[in-house]
Amino acid sequence: MARPRKELSTVPLTPAMVNWAEALGDAIGRGMLRALNDGMPRLGSSAPSSTALTAGRRRGRPPKVMAGASLVSMDRRCTMEGCTREQRSKGLCSAHYQAERRRQISGGKSA
């Protein structure tokens, strides 16, 4: 069973208490705006909030290491002239494979 709610005091607040409450509300509001604009500081960090703008940990699959020309063997390279990326499908890298798919789709519509 729920307890009956206590009623707030009917005694009017003094002007000093009203000023104090408004100042407290303003301070909380400024702190929230600063946190939203600058980013929340990390817990346990002694650094000021201006230096706490470090990027968080990256989500998802970690990026593949960029394969340089020397890292991909000749038999696994894209068959397009001048391309040194690793082939993915039908002898082409993903960029050239997608370009070829777009060419085939647009060519099929005009025929």
Side-chain angles (χ1 to χ4, degrees):
M1 224 184 201
R3 290 187 199 171
R5 185 173 169 189
K6 290 184 179 179
E7 292 298 321
L8 295 175
S9 174
T10 57
V11 176
L13 295 175
T14 64
M17 298 231 9
V18 170
N19 289 338
W20 177 81
E22 287 177 357
L24 180 62
D26 288 343
I28 291 171
R30 283 192 305 275
M32 291 300 292
L33 280 174
R34 190 178 323 113
L36 290 172
N37 290 331
D38 296 343
M40 296 292 285
R42 298 201 182 272
L43 292 177
S45 173
S46 62
S49 63
S50 62
T51 60
L53 293 177
T54 58
R57 185 170 179 215
R58 180 183 158 88
R59 295 175 59 176
R61 177 191 280 181
K64 283 194 169 187
V65 177
M66 294 302 292
S70 62
L71 298 178
V72 180
S73 64
M74 289 300 288
D75 60 331
R76 292 293 305 156
R77 287 189 187 169
C78 178
T79 57
M80 293 297 276
E81 187 175 332
C83 184
T84 59
R85 292 180 289 223
E86 185 178 6
Q87 59 180 247
R88 295 291 178 193
S89 184
K90 298 185 180 181
L92 301 173
C93 66
S94 60
H96 288 119
Y97 178 76
Q98 292 299 323
E100 185 62 30
R101 284 190 67 216
R102 283 191 296 276
R103 261 188 247 114
Q104 289 176 356
I105 290 171
S106 64
K109 289 182 179 178
S110 63

